Amino acid sequence: MRLSLIRAPKYPDEHADIGTHRFKYSILPHKGPLSSETIRAGWEFNDRSKNLHLGVYRRNDVVSYKLNKELVSIRGDENLILSNIKRGEDDDDMDSEKTTIPKKFKGFQTIIIRIYEALGGKGKAVIKIAMPIKEVKKVNILENSIAEIEFDPKANEFKIDSRAFEISTYRVVLA
């Protein structure tokens, strides 16, 4: 077994990959096929949010993502991984010095949630938001609306279904 991480192309940048490189790797012995535990261990090993003080906590069947307080939690099938949480690009209070594109969400804040199915099967989960929800839409990678998602306004949560290896993105407009 060997590990090769650096490639040294000469074109288009003849100085690419020159210098000192640091990396971490880990080997996780496990029995049987790839499982949600293996996927989660790899995700946690690579998690860069530690630098942002974003905590990932698992209690029973609920995975919570915290930034000062619990912001988003997911409960359901373990093959669904919540990989990204960010502010929406169309919020009017986001930095817009470099673009003249009009903002769509004046007076509201949105969060974008990206989830992927990691093991090649179908998955179902419930996403809970720690703040009141005004609207939820499934969006594409450019944050353009694809479909309206029903949500429970009293519980501030919505249900998702995922196909094998699907990457799903949702825009949550906060009330």
Side-chain angles (χ1 to χ4, degrees):
M1 180 169 37
R2 82 174 188 205
L3 179 66
S4 298
L5 295 176
I6 304 295
R7 62 183 267 256
K10 294 283 186 188
Y11 179 82
D13 182 2
E14 62 187 47
H15 301 291
D17 295 332
I18 294 176
T20 302
H21 300 272
R22 298 181 196 279
F23 59 90
K24 297 187 303 182
Y25 69 95
S26 178
I27 297 173
L28 177 66
H30 60 27
K31 288 184 179 182
L34 189 64
S35 70
S36 60
E37 290 178 15
T38 312
I39 296 292
R40 193 158 311 277
W43 190 83
E44 288 172 357
F45 179 78
N46 287 312
D47 185 15
R48 290 180 188 87
S49 66
K50 294 172 193 144
N51 298 332
L52 301 173
H53 308 291
L54 175 71
V56 180
Y57 304 93
R58 183 166 193 80
R59 289 184 310 266
N60 302 328
D61 66 339
V62 179
V63 179
S64 298
Y65 298 79
K66 296 183 179 186
L67 185 58
N68 298 329
K69 66 176 188 170
E70 189 169 297
L71 178 62
V72 177
S73 64
I74 180 171
R75 74 178 183 274
D77 296 336
E78 290 186 346
N79 55 334
L80 294 178
I81 307 293
L82 197 154
S83 65
N84 297 82
I85 303 169
K86 71 176 199 81
R87 286 287 307 275
E89 296 294 329
D90 283 338
D91 289 4
D92 66 345
D93 64 338
M94 293 296 286
D95 184 16
S96 61
E97 292 177 14
K98 298 181 181 183
T99 182
T100 58
I101 298 171
K103 300 297 184 174
K104 296 176 189 173
F105 295 99
K106 294 195 180 288
F108 295 101
Q109 291 186 335
T110 63
I111 56 174
I112 303 297
I113 300 168
R114 187 157 297 130
I115 298 165
Y116 69 92
E117 193 289 318
L119 298 175
K122 293 181 179 181
K124 293 182 180 216
V126 175
I127 309 296
K128 182 166 181 60
I129 309 297
M131 303 169 83
I133 299 174
K134 180 180 189 306
E135 165 184 291
V136 180
K137 293 208 177 184
K138 189 170 189 178
V139 297
N140 63 17
I141 197 82
L142 298 175
E143 299 180 20
N144 297 321
S145 296
I146 296 173
E148 186 90 21
I149 303 295
E150 290 184 29
F151 66 95
D152 180 350
K154 292 180 182 175
N156 296 320
E157 61 186 28
F158 59 97
K159 296 178 182 177
I160 63 165
D161 292 319
S162 184
R163 298 183 315 263
F165 300 114
E166 180 180 13
I167 301 170
S168 304
T169 306
Y170 301 91
R171 178 179 53 235
V172 179
V173 179
L174 303 174

